[in-house]
Amino acid sequence: MTRDDGAWRRILRLVRKDPREDVDDELRFHLDMRRTDLERSGLTPDEARAAAERKFGDVAEVRDACEEIDRRQRRRAARAHALFGISTDFVVALRGLRGSPVFTTTAVLCAALGIGLTTAIASTINSILLRPLPYADADRLVAVYSANPHLGMDAHYVNISYPDYLSWRDENRTLSQLGMWTWTSVTLSGAGEAERIDGAEMSTNMFEVLGVKPALGRGFQPGEDRKDRNHVVVLSDALWRRRFGADPRIIGRVITLEGESSEIVGVMPPGFMFPETGELWVPLSDDPIRASRGNRYFAGAIGRMRAGVTIDQATGDLQAVASELSREFPKDNTGWTIDVRTLREDLVGNLRAPLLLFMVAVAFVLAIVCANVANLMLARGAARQRELAVRAAIGAGVGRLVRQVLVESAVLAITGGVLGAAVAAAGIKLFALAFPDGTPFYISLRLDGATLAFAGALALLTGLVFGCAPAVAAARTAPQGVLRETSAGAGEARHRSRARRTLTVVEIALSTVLLTIALLLVRSYHSLTSTDLGFQGRGVLTMRVSLPENVYTDRSRRAQFFADLLSRVQAMPGVLVAGSALGTPMSGMDLQDGVVAEGQPLPAPNEEVVTHSQQVSPRYFEALGIPLLRGRVLTPQDRGSAAAVGVVNDIFVAKVFSGQDPIGKRVKLGPVDDTTAPWITIVGVTRAFRHYRLPQPMGPAIYLPIAFHAQGMQTLAIRTSLADPLSLVPAIQRAVHDLDPNVPVYRIETLDHTVSRTLWRQRLQGQVVGAFAVVALVLAAIGLYGVIAYSVAQRTREIGVRMALGAQRRDVLSLVLGDGARMTAIGLAIGLAGAAVLARSIASLLYGVQPLDMIVFVGSAIVLAAVALAASVIPARRAARVDPQVAMRTV
């Protein structure tokens, strides 16, 4: 290449840079200058070239280094240019948004609502269904229960017997450890008032199974489950602080539980409870009463799977053990097998379906928000067409226009995300309040770093989504055509109008789905609350009283205590009737036994009738307002088991006696071959009433006198004439204290509140989805109103021409309302179809209502149509009031 060629190349690089050629020219220049100097000093051309290259070094390496430096400079320049452009776009976006306060406020609030609600539900799902449980290697923990699918009630996840637990523990091959537990409630007395503490009896290895160590002291040691060594106790941190003032020397202190001395050997870490709300733990002792394999009155087991073992493998292994037990012990184990599921599923399984429904619902709300903000931005973009056209005309490329719109949407989304974090925090707190007994310790509902990161990512994604349609519209801006349009109300680009109408139809469709599902859930909850419970809960006060087992060892003494207590309560002012039972309706006290009728053929194994059994006071049925259908109620003279009597419900009569008169007939509870079980003579029949938590139906039930077995715990049911039944509590507590100061009164509430508390999940479903539906409905109405109002503004000249040519106001109203009706009809059709599909998937959450309930579907359509009509009326009336003369002046 000649010097002239190099000169021309350098001139051409003023137009288009070629860094590699620049580097080559620069290196060649330096080598040529050095070679010329060496030739002048007397070296030959070849010697001068070699000396110059030797002095200069590796040319290729220098070239690569120079090129890398140039690339870095270019990248820095490009980044600086991009950052400058984006920062400029942000400044322009902020200036423009500040100049449109109504648009900005509306868009930000919509974004904040959508992002906040979505973040709150996502955080709740993460806390309940995804975040690891507060145990070591929690994913390896499983809950193990008994199951007998051959029983009439198709028994799954039922309690286990102690001997079965020992066999599972010792003979399985897939669990490294297996522990057993059962609920307990003990009276703590001594220093201060007697207090009833919920907790658990557990095998000595249970803390090890869970992977949790005490913060103070130790857990249970092997051998402390023996009857003579089980007087040790572990406290929760909360109980230690509340009752013992966080005394650091608490280990070794002796306290009184159930009238006996027990030594405190440990205090668990803060926050730990088991099961759920338990605050005190004692060893599960080897009581002889638990020796029978047929005695399945004890809760369940928790196991830790070995590393690499799947839950299916663990289930198969334990089922093999259960099969061997059924062959070895056919009397007690025939038909009985194993149910195994993860500990998380065991703890929160009933929340999975509602939470996933909430996630779908909030996703719909977020989609509606995006559509709404996109509609707002399209309307704003239409108003800014001239501005964008001027920018395009003076050189702004399509990319720059699109970036400007996306930056503006990002500003709205980020601002909405910041406000949405506050909405999410409030939503999480409200969700936590939904748990009737407080949030379980294994669920941590909080706004953490992961939640905030999710909110930030969601804000950016949302900004991108609702900015896409306006960005596409900006990219299709034709500056020549827009600049020629100088009159107002001349119309809107067809593609922009089509996009806004499509988004509005989407909003209506999604709102229809949400409203329909919400109405189904609300109707389901109403069906539950309208269920005929069979008793009169209004004005009934309930509370539990438990006697220390080791003090009230005599059955007659226990019976006498409750008789004296009921007598004192009955005499109190405002008390109409005082009764008691082992467990009142929906209290969770559900005892069941097999029943055999005298003179009838013995049922085959697993085919006997299973009945609910209760011990009640003579006036219990009167206290609950339960009518007697036949015979008589129990009386104070019905004592002991020598001549045992009982009252049954009408379902019992239908199941056991095929509807025949049961008065005077005898039945036996328990195993058919149990010769020690007494025969019970039926003396009365009551109407069946709901004892189990809804929606579980009531089955056969038999009610026995308290003296039949005289348990140490009874639940009082007191019908009062007082406006506030709880005002009786101090007087009843004094009566109990007068009888025995070491007996506590606890779980105090009205029966109406008990029933309402059991329906908290169904109530929450309706409330959450209903709230989302209302939000969606309002947003859809705003969107529809905005589209029609903007359409009217754009068609002002057309409407003026129509009216000038003779169109009446009703014609204009019909034109505008028809436009809204068409969008509403399309949205309703799509939404109802989508709701029909989604409703089938939530059938398990419904009670007393079919997924395709016509009342609900027609009702949601009517509501949506009414809201759409209301949203269309205002712009329609505005259009009808257009003055043709004023409108024609814009031509």
Side-chain angles (χ1 to χ4, degrees):
M1 183 181 71
T2 66
R3 289 182 179 273
D4 290 339
D5 291 336
W8 278 108
R9 181 176 294 160
R10 284 191 289 272
I11 293 172
L12 290 174
R13 280 181 206 139
L14 295 174
V15 180
R16 182 178 181 181
K17 292 184 177 180
D18 187 350
R20 189 177 185 85
E21 293 296 339
D22 283 344
V23 171
D24 287 342
D25 286 348
E26 192 69 22
L27 293 177
R28 189 178 298 108
F29 171 77
H30 284 287
L31 286 173
D32 288 346
M33 293 296 294
R34 184 61 177 165
R35 186 195 60 194
T36 301
D37 290 342
L38 292 174
E39 286 179 356
R40 289 174 180 169
S41 66
L43 296 180
T44 65
D46 291 338
E47 291 173 340
R49 182 180 301 106
E53 291 176 354
R54 188 169 52 253
K55 182 72 173 178
F56 190 84
D58 189 342
V59 175
E61 184 177 347
V62 174
R63 179 190 298 112
D64 291 342
C66 291
E67 290 178 358
E68 179 61 26
I69 292 171
D70 185 78
R71 280 194 293 270
R72 290 176 183 173
Q73 290 177 338
R74 291 168 61 194
R75 283 197 295 268
R76 281 197 295 268
R79 284 196 297 268
H81 181 74
L83 289 175
F84 176 77
I86 293 175
S87 63
T88 303
D89 289 338
F90 267 102
V91 171
V92 172
L94 290 172
R95 187 184 299 122
L97 293 174
R98 190 169 58 245
S100 304
V102 175
F103 161 79
T104 303
T105 302
T106 305
V108 167
L109 290 179
C110 285
L113 191 63
I115 294 169
L117 293 177
T118 305
T119 302
I121 296 300
S123 178
T124 302
I125 289 176
N126 178 58
S127 298
I128 296 177
L129 301 183
L130 301 176
R131 185 177 293 153
L133 296 173
Y135 306 118
D137 298 322
D139 59 326
R140 290 166 52 192
L141 293 176
V142 293
V144 184
Y145 293 99
S146 291
N148 194 333
H150 304 291
L151 286 179
M153 58 182 177
D154 191 23
H156 282 279
Y157 302 105
V158 298
N159 294 353
I160 64 178
S161 70
Y162 189 73
D164 282 353
Y165 153 70
L166 295 178
S167 297
W168 300 344
R169 183 194 67 186
D170 299 336
E171 298 175 25
N172 86 85
R173 300 179 180 179
T174 54
L175 303 179
S176 60
Q177 288 183 308
L178 183 68
M180 185 180 180
W181 67 275
T182 186
W183 297 275
T184 193
S185 179
V186 297
T187 298
L188 171 61
S189 58
E193 290 290 326
E195 182 180 0
R196 196 70 181 177
I197 309 295
D198 289 333
E201 296 180 52
M202 56 172 59
S203 57
T204 56
N205 67 336
M206 182 57 79
F207 291 129
E208 296 178 18
V209 173
L210 296 175
V212 181
K213 296 181 179 180
L216 290 178
R218 62 172 176 85
F220 302 126
Q221 295 178 344
E224 288 183 334
D225 54 355
R226 294 210 314 262
K227 195 70 174 173
D228 58 339
R229 290 188 57 197
N230 68 333
H231 298 297
V232 291
V233 59
V234 175
L235 309 178
S236 72
D237 179 83
L239 179 60
W240 172 55
R241 294 180 184 279
R242 184 181 76 247
R243 185 83 185 194
F244 303 101
D247 183 1
R249 296 169 296 179
I250 194 71
I251 304 302
R253 181 172 171 179
V254 176
I255 60 175
T256 303
L257 296 179
E258 295 295 303
E260 286 194 342
S261 299
S262 293
E263 179 188 355
I264 299 174
V265 297
V267 177
M268 297 305 290
F272 177 82
M273 291 178 165
F274 181 87
E276 295 192 2
T277 59
E279 294 187 297
L280 179 148
W281 304 277
V282 295
L284 181 66
S285 64
D286 54 352
D287 195 322
I289 197 174
R290 297 168 176 157
S292 170
R293 289 188 180 272
N295 184 4
R296 294 183 174 88
Y297 292 116
F298 304 97
I302 295 176
R304 179 173 290 276
M305 296 187 295
R306 298 181 186 276
V309 172
T310 66
I311 192 168
D312 289 338
Q313 292 171 332
T315 302
D317 178 37
L318 289 168
Q319 283 178 343
V321 177
S323 298
E324 183 61 31
L325 292 178
S326 66
R327 287 190 293 270
E328 190 174 352
F329 307 100
K331 174 185 172 183
D332 292 323
N333 286 70
T334 297
W336 287 94
T337 182
I338 295 289
D339 272 337
V340 182
R341 56 183 173 183
T342 65
L343 185 58
R344 178 186 294 280
E345 181 69 19
D346 188 56
L347 293 174
V348 301
N350 63 339
L351 290 175
R352 181 179 299 276
L355 286 174
L356 295 180
L357 174 63
F358 295 165
M359 193 71 246
V360 172
V362 81
F364 281 16
V365 172
L366 186 62
I368 293 171
V369 165
C370 290
N372 220 332
V373 178
N375 246 336
L376 290 172
M377 294 190 68
L378 280 172
R380 175 175 165 78
R384 297 173 60 197
Q385 285 186 84
R386 189 171 184 82
E387 173 195 337
L388 295 176
V390 170
R391 288 175 178 269
I394 61 176
V398 172
R400 184 60 185 271
L401 296 178
V402 169
R403 190 178 70 186
Q404 176 63 57
V405 175
L406 290 177
V407 166
E408 188 171 279
S409 66
V411 171
L412 293 172
I414 292 171
T415 308
V418 172
L419 294 178
V423 174
I428 291 172
K429 289 182 179 179
L430 286 175
F431 196 92
L433 294 176
F435 290 87
D437 298 316
T439 307
F441 81 98
Y442 50 81
I443 296 177
S444 177
L445 295 176
R446 65 181 187 273
L447 194 64
D448 54 13
T451 304
L452 292 175
F454 176 82
L458 185 64
L460 293 176
L461 178 62
T462 303
L464 179 64
V465 170
F466 64 61
C468 280
V472 171
R476 298 174 65 176
T477 299
Q480 298 86 354
V482 173
L483 293 174
R484 281 197 295 267
E485 289 286 352
T486 57
S487 58
E492 181 181 17
R494 180 172 298 177
H495 66 270
R496 196 184 301 270
S497 175
R498 189 184 303 116
R500 300 193 67 219
R501 291 170 183 274
T502 300
L503 290 172
T504 302
V505 168
V506 169
E507 290 185 59
I508 294 172
L510 294 177
S511 300
T512 303
V513 175
L514 273 183
L515 181 61
T516 304
I517 298 303
L519 289 177
L520 283 172
L521 294 174
V522 170
R523 187 167 165 79
S524 175
Y525 176 69
H526 183 264
S527 297
L528 277 171
T529 56
S530 301
T531 300
D532 182 8
L533 301 177
F535 60 83
Q536 302 296 324
R538 185 174 299 277
V540 176
L541 177 66
T542 66
M543 61 187 70
R544 284 189 183 178
V545 177
S546 294
L547 306 178
E549 293 180 2
N550 298 297
V551 176
Y552 291 82
T553 56
D554 184 67
R555 181 180 302 177
S556 61
R557 187 181 176 190
R558 294 194 293 265
Q560 188 61 49
F561 177 94
F562 286 113
D564 291 344
L565 176 60
L566 287 175
S567 177
R568 293 189 180 206
V569 173
Q570 183 67 62
M572 291 179 181
V575 173
L576 300 176
V577 185
S580 71
L582 192 60
T584 49
M586 304 183 192
S587 63
M589 188 64 67
D590 302 331
L591 299 180
Q592 296 181 337
D593 283 295
V595 61
V596 179
E598 186 179 32
Q600 293 186 2
L602 294 180
N606 299 321
E607 293 184 3
E608 65 270 17
V609 174
V610 177
T611 182
H612 170 74
S613 62
Q614 271 276 23
Q615 298 170 35
V616 303
S617 71
R619 303 192 70 180
Y620 175 67
F621 300 115
E622 186 181 353
L624 295 187
I626 299 166
L628 182 71
L629 302 180
R630 195 177 305 165
R632 67 173 177 86
V633 295
L634 302 175
T635 68
Q637 289 70 42
D638 295 323
R639 294 178 175 273
S641 58
V645 298
V647 173
V648 298
N649 66 7
D650 50 1
I651 299 178
F652 187 102
V653 175
K655 287 271 189 179
V656 178
F657 297 105
S658 302
Q660 298 178 5
D661 187 357
I663 303 300
K665 295 183 179 180
R666 300 200 304 171
V667 296
K668 179 189 288 188
L669 299 180
V672 296
D673 56 352
D674 186 356
T675 58
T676 63
W679 287 100
I680 302 167
T681 302
I682 299 174
V683 297
V685 179
T686 68
R687 178 188 176 192
F689 62 94
R690 299 291 189 118
H691 181 83
Y692 307 122
R693 296 181 178 182
L694 295 175
Q696 183 178 354
M698 190 57 191
I702 184 168
Y703 304 94
L704 308 172
I706 290 179
F708 181 81
H709 192 52
Q711 298 281 353
M713 188 272 288
Q714 284 281 296
T715 303
L716 305 186
I718 305 160
R719 181 170 294 280
T720 173
S721 59
L722 301 178
D724 180 14
L726 293 173
S727 62
L728 279 172
V729 172
I732 297 174
Q733 287 176 325
R734 285 194 298 271
V736 174
H737 188 273
D738 290 343
L739 288 172
D740 190 334
N742 292 321
V743 174
V745 178
Y746 61 106
R747 296 192 184 177
I748 303 168
E749 59 185 354
T750 64
L751 189 52
D752 277 348
H753 183 262
T754 302
V755 175
S756 176
R757 185 161 50 85
T758 64
L759 299 176
W760 74 273
R761 184 174 60 82
Q762 293 87 346
R763 183 166 56 249
L764 179 66
Q765 291 169 184
Q767 288 174 344
V768 172
V769 180
F772 289 169
V774 170
V775 170
L777 200 60
V778 172
L779 291 175
I782 292 173
L784 183 62
Y785 168 81
V787 168
I788 295 178
Y790 186 78
S791 175
V792 168
Q794 291 294 306
R795 299 172 67 183
T796 300
R797 186 172 58 189
E798 174 194 341
I799 293 171
V801 171
R802 288 175 177 268
M803 297 185 73
L805 294 176
Q808 301 298 313
R809 292 195 172 186
R810 62 175 178 273
D811 299 323
V812 176
L813 282 172
S814 177
L815 175 68
V816 177
L817 292 177
D819 196 19
R822 281 189 293 273
M823 287 186 284
T824 302
I826 297 171
L828 273 175
I830 298 173
L832 290 175
V837 174
L838 185 57
R840 294 180 184 275
S841 66
I842 65 164
S844 62
L845 301 178
L846 303 178
Y847 173 82
V849 58
Q850 295 299 317
L852 300 182
D853 187 88
M854 289 306 298
I855 295 177
V856 169
F857 277 72
V858 172
S860 62
I862 292 174
V863 171
L864 257 297
V867 171
L869 177 63
S872 304
V873 164
I874 295 177
R877 293 182 63 184
R878 186 181 301 156
R881 290 197 297 266
V882 169
D883 187 339
Q885 295 182 357
V886 174
M888 294 297 290
R889 291 196 195 107
T890 63
V891 180

